Amino acid sequence: MISFKLEEEQEIARDALRDFAAEAMRPIARECDETSAIPEEFLAQSWELGLVSTQIPEAYGGGGEARSPVTNAIVLEELAWGDAALALAAVAPAGFAYAIADQGTEAQKQKYLPMFCGEDYCAASLAVNEPTVCFDPLTPRTVAEPKSDGFVLSGTKCCVPMGDRASHFLVVARNNGSLDAFVVPRDAEGLSVSDNELNLGLKALPTATLELERVEVSAADRLGGEEGCDVQRVLDGSRTALAAVMVGLSRAALEYAVPYAKDRVAFDQAIAQKQGIAFKLADMHIETESTRWLVWKAAAQLEQGVSATRAAHFARGYAADQSMWITDQGVQVLGGHGFIRDNPVEMWFRNARTVGVLEGTVCI
Amino acid sequence: MDIIVCMKRVPDSAARIQIGGDGRSIDSAGLEHIISPYDEMALERALQIKEEQGGTVTVVCLGAAEAAKEIRQALAMGADQALHIKSDVGYRDPLTTARILADHLKGRTFDMLLFGKQSIDADNSAIGVMVATLLDLPAVSLVTKLDAADGKATVEREAEAGAEVIEVALPAVFTAQRGLAEPRYPSIKGIMQAKKKPIEEAQAPEEAALITLEALEPPPARTGGRIVGEGVEAVPELVRLLRSEAKVL
């Protein structure tokens, strides 16, 4: 049987993160967007919640709780409801840490996982995206040439979250016919990190371009060591997480538009009473819920350890389309008030457009 | 320092309250609940003291089976254990409530017993001091500052144009006023650990009610405002209406 009933701890996590999003994220979201900056206090405050460390094994200093992509999807939806850029900043290190925890060698786990279990926010990121037309993460142009004791990496990565401060990057590259991921420290010779990219949305989230010019890494820096890793699995987790972020964005727009439409009177009637608006609001609600179920299905498959590739792709593709449509309708329902910056819907619209293209196009 | 915090499950302060079909209870369908905010402040201060000095924090909750979720939330914030005194009674007078709590607290050892100054649903502001009286313990209500060391506590309460500073021998009872502590968000780790923490269960006795609640009524719907005039000329009329009609002056 399929049950959509949350576990008690998932309900408590949802409620706690909902309060956190409303009280610690919403009030600063606009200023973060305007100034393209994230306060250090916010990163410290979100780090205290244990968003990353809780699901790292105790042996490496973590909370030792089982990995739960479903709980993480619930948590991410709430954080993204607060603000998508801040949410992605808070959890970006998990992209790196969970890949190591799931597929790293024992030495890699011992070396890197304790970094994420300390008291201070620790930035490290996945580097997947590339600045090419219709980028497909499974056929990157970044290549890893094997050499006697390691690899030489060459290529360009973009939209790397927390690129301004990440101490390590997990770079996805083509190694002959297969795909691999490599840990590259920020100070690696041949690696240059750009200034923050100027983006349409998620403006508070610092993203950077990485230029890898014959960066030498050792064989021990290949994720999974000699056996390599399943990059698809990393992408499935990451895509599901991005889709959960888009559910939060969609819900934010929906929950803003509904009371506005009930309150806003035009031609002697609340605009929510007008069929054209009522249908929009109903469809926004239906699509938000539909996206959430796709996300939860992908998350459940990740949690069960079965292949989640198809489900994650469906969730992300659908979420990208629908969150753009829903946030666009959010702007539309508010009319003239929708595109002025006094209201947040225009920011959510830009954010949805941006989250939708992270980690490659959904067009192929 | 071993601290017991009594907490109540109450409807969310942001919820729209509807009267139930029996006319004397709140319709709980779809209603979100929270830990009463003043109780949460008391819990936060208890956790801070535990973190500073060591010891234990136990939460005690008299309430419906569904209160288990709010108890878990308290454990997720950092409390070590809980006592859930189960009861399906919707309304109970303060003295009966205080007696049930006192009966369960009698025989337990603790240094401090904390309450919120009042629950945000019944608003009686009575339970903390009643329990203290029943247990024959000193009590200070409405505390905005609470420190404890060497068998005594130093507390502050707001007074007109200043603060009262009171020293009390422990064990003692305190009720929390806004300003005592800002409740933390439960961490994900805390939430996951909470499910492994013990919740002792007990059943509240069926007692004859001292007070019966006859009816609940929603406040009258607000009517539209009235503009009584413009500029300085309108002030006398406004003052007259505030005095004679609104009766707020």
Side-chain angles (χ1 to χ4, degrees):
Chain A
M1 280 299 284
I2 294 168
S3 164
F4 292 102
K5 182 166 169 41
L6 304 188
E7 301 291 337
E8 191 177 67
E9 67 264 22
Q10 290 171 332
E11 278 187 38
I12 295 172
R14 181 198 59 195
D15 293 354
L17 271 298
R18 191 166 286 182
D19 289 347
F20 180 78
E23 294 160 12
M25 299 174 82
R26 279 281 172 95
I28 62 170
R30 172 57 79 177
E31 194 183 341
C32 291
D33 183 75
E34 296 281 344
T35 57
S36 296
I38 293 181
E40 292 301 320
E41 306 87 72
F42 169 76
L43 292 176
Q45 204 181 2
S46 65
W47 196 254
E48 276 178 23
L49 297 173
L51 297 169
V52 181
S53 65
T54 302
Q55 295 177 14
I56 291 177
E58 274 177 353
Y60 310 106
E65 296 295 335
R67 280 286 301 289
S68 173
V70 175
T71 304
N72 294 346
I74 293 165
V75 163
L76 262 178
E77 177 185 331
E78 296 307 325
L79 290 172
W81 179 91
D83 184 72
L86 294 170
L88 287 168
V91 302
F96 182 100
Y98 290 171
I100 300 281
D102 291 348
Q103 304 199 49
T105 62
E106 185 54 35
Q108 287 168 343
K109 290 179 191 177
Q110 286 185 11
K111 185 171 177 187
Y112 298 112
L113 291 182
M115 290 174 11
F116 303 97
C117 303
E119 289 186 0
D120 298 325
Y121 179 88
C122 170
S125 293
L126 280 180
V128 177
N129 256 25
E130 295 185 357
T132 54
V133 177
C134 279
F135 167 68
D136 172 14
L138 297 176
T139 53
R141 291 195 181 172
T142 302
V143 291
E145 293 169 50
K147 63 182 184 87
S148 59
D149 55 349
F151 299 86
V152 179
L153 304 178
S154 304
T156 306
K157 294 287 175 186
C158 65
C159 302
V160 177
M162 306 312 281
D164 63 339
R165 69 196 78 186
S167 62
H168 293 78
F169 303 99
L170 192 62
V171 176
V172 174
R174 205 148 33 88
N175 170 18
N176 287 326
S178 65
L179 265 185
D180 265 314
F182 300 87
V183 178
V184 179
R186 186 183 193 86
D187 57 4
E189 201 169 322
L191 171 67
S192 53
V193 182
S194 74
D195 290 340
N196 288 342
E197 295 161 339
L198 301 173
N199 298 328
L200 168 73
L202 300 176
K203 286 166 68 179
L205 178 73
T207 66
T209 300
L210 310 184
E211 295 287 351
L212 298 117
E213 289 181 34
R214 299 197 63 75
V215 175
E216 294 192 13
V217 294
S218 75
D221 293 326
R222 177 161 80 153
L223 182 63
E226 279 181 22
E227 291 179 12
C229 67
D230 180 359
V231 170
Q232 181 69 61
R233 186 96 187 139
V234 176
L235 292 175
D236 294 345
S238 178
R239 286 174 166 173
T240 305
L242 287 175
V245 167
M246 291 187 262
V247 177
L249 263 171
S250 300
R251 209 184 87 219
L254 170 70
E255 291 181 0
Y256 200 85
V258 169
Y260 180 89
K262 285 181 177 173
D263 194 50
R264 169 81 169 150
V265 173
F267 306 106
D268 300 326
Q269 198 180 29
I271 61 169
Q273 298 295 324
K274 298 186 184 300
Q275 218 175 34
I277 299 288
F279 282 161
K280 265 190 215 309
L281 295 172
D283 287 342
M284 288 163 75
H285 205 148
I286 292 168
E287 296 302 352
T288 302
E289 295 254 335
S290 308
T291 313
R292 182 184 296 121
W293 307 147
L294 283 172
V295 171
W296 284 11
K297 181 180 176 187
Q301 290 186 344
L302 285 169
E303 194 151 325
Q304 291 154 15
V306 299
S307 171
T309 301
R310 184 178 288 254
H313 196 68
F314 287 174
R316 176 173 168 273
Y318 198 75
D321 286 346
Q322 293 309 323
S323 65
M324 274 186 271
W325 183 80
I326 290 165
T327 51
D328 185 25
Q329 296 311 305
V331 174
Q332 186 60 42
V333 169
L334 268 74
H337 291 127
F339 68 83
I340 58 173
R341 297 192 298 204
D342 289 354
N343 287 297
V345 284
E346 61 81 29
M347 178 171 73
W348 296 333
F349 175 59
R350 288 185 285 109
N351 288 349
R353 179 69 261 189
T354 309
V355 182
V357 298
L358 287 179
E359 293 197 9
T361 180
V362 291
C363 303
I364 53 171
Chain B
M1 192 70 58
D2 295 321
I3 306 172
I4 295 179
V5 182
C6 290
M7 55 165 267
K8 186 177 182 185
R9 173 185 190 255
V10 296
D12 190 335
S13 49
R16 282 185 62 195
I17 304 295
Q18 308 269 5
I19 309 293
D22 62 0
R24 57 175 71 183
S25 65
I26 291 170
D27 182 2
S28 61
L31 195 60
E32 295 284 329
H33 288 79
I34 56 171
I35 301 173
S36 188
Y38 296 105
D39 299 348
E40 212 177 10
M41 292 170 204
L43 172 61
E44 174 61 36
R45 186 63 195 132
L47 295 172
Q48 290 171 359
I49 292 170
K50 183 187 90 161
E51 283 159 5
E52 289 160 14
Q53 309 185 8
T56 62
V57 173
T58 305
V59 290
V60 174
C61 178
L62 168 61
E66 292 80 12
K69 186 184 156 204
E70 283 66 37
I71 293 172
R72 287 277 174 219
Q73 192 192 326
L75 296 173
M77 286 172 71
D80 301 283
Q81 57 206 349
L83 167 63
H84 185 181
I85 309 166
K86 290 188 176 175
S87 164
D88 292 329
V89 178
Y91 173 82
R92 186 184 277 113
D93 61 85
L95 185 56
T96 307
T97 301
R99 280 179 180 152
I100 295 171
L101 287 171
D103 282 346
H104 281 89
L105 293 166
K106 220 174 277 173
R108 288 174 189 260
T109 51
F110 54 84
D111 299 294
M112 291 197 280
L113 176 59
L114 306 186
F115 292 81
K117 67 162 181 163
Q118 68 196 80
S119 61
I120 63 156
D121 56 351
D123 285 324
N124 284 310
S125 308
I127 308 296
V129 285
M130 279 182 169
V131 171
T133 305
L134 292 168
L135 294 176
D136 199 21
L137 290 172
V140 184
S141 56
L142 298 155
V143 304
T144 53
K145 203 162 177 240
L146 168 60
D147 290 298
D150 306 324
K152 63 187 179 194
T154 310
V155 300
E156 277 187 26
R157 38 193 334 262
E158 282 173 2
E160 224 164 293
E164 285 178 354
V165 180
I166 300 168
E167 211 173 83
V168 195
L170 297 179
V173 179
F174 304 99
T175 75
Q177 167 66 302
R178 186 178 298 283
L180 177 65
E182 193 61 38
R184 70 192 63 189
Y185 300 100
S187 70
I188 302 293
K189 185 179 176 186
I191 291 166
M192 296 301 164
Q193 285 176 339
K195 63 185 171 190
K196 298 168 200 152
K197 292 180 178 174
I199 299 181
E200 185 187 338
E201 291 183 358
Q203 193 64 42
E206 284 182 26
E207 295 197 14
L210 300 174
I211 298 173
T212 35
L213 177 71
E214 290 298 326
L216 282 177
E217 280 175 21
R222 291 180 65 172
T223 53
R226 199 158 91 229
I227 295 169
V228 296
E230 279 184 23
V232 179
E233 293 76 39
V235 173
E237 176 64 359
L238 180 63
V239 171
R240 189 187 70 76
L241 289 172
L242 287 173
R243 183 172 288 148
S244 63
E245 212 170 277
K247 295 187 172 34
V248 293
L249 290 181

